[in-house]
Amino acid sequence: MDRVLIEGLTVETVIGVYDWERTIRQRLELDLELATDIRPAAADDDLTHTLDYAAICEAIAGFAAASRFGLVETFAERLAAHLREAFGISGLRLTVRKPGAVAAARAVGVSIERGAI
């Protein structure tokens, strides 16, 4: 299985368990590997035969803008389910980082795999 990559995507969302976090938008950084067969698109040089990463990035930004989760884990799980359903993705690997959440670390976060990747 081939993979479409999206690396270093930044979005803003309401995320966090503390009261002060519920009143601000914070930045998340995402890396994705999306399972697909790129051969049909490569054969015809046709975007309609592959995963449109621009459309996927727009969907992720919209999802983040509308979300209000406490945990990064919940954000990751719900986003993965949304992308798989909306774009027919058979499998994905998603890493979500929350920069600055812990003073001694550049970022904290989770990495999940759903489906065959």
Side-chain angles (χ1 to χ4, degrees):
M1 186 61 67
D2 305 314
R3 291 170 186 83
V4 169
L5 304 176
I6 299 172
E7 297 179 343
L9 180 65
T10 60
V11 296
E12 290 198 358
T13 190
V14 174
I15 189 92
V17 296
Y18 300 110
D19 289 342
W20 66 269
E21 290 182 296
R22 309 306 297 157
T23 64
I24 63 169
R25 299 184 74 71
Q26 297 185 70
R27 185 169 54 94
L28 297 178
E29 298 173 353
L30 289 70
D31 294 326
L32 297 97
E33 291 183 40
L34 310 168
T36 191
D37 182 355
I38 68 164
R39 289 174 294 186
D44 297 335
D45 199 26
D46 187 345
L47 177 62
T48 63
H49 295 142
T50 192
L51 296 174
D52 181 342
Y53 52 79
I56 292 169
C57 288
E58 286 181 31
I60 293 169
F63 177 88
S67 297
R68 297 181 57 87
F69 300 117
L71 301 176
V72 172
E73 291 85 345
T74 307
F75 180 92
E77 189 68 37
R78 303 268 175 86
L79 176 59
H82 174 69
L83 292 175
R84 291 186 71 198
E85 182 178 325
F87 293 94
I89 298 168
S90 62
L92 61 78
R93 180 177 294 125
L94 168 63
T95 299
V96 179
R97 293 179 187 85
K98 186 177 177 185
V102 173
R106 184 178 63 78
V108 298
V110 299
S111 185
I112 65 173
E113 291 182 23
R114 298 296 176 263
I117 183 73

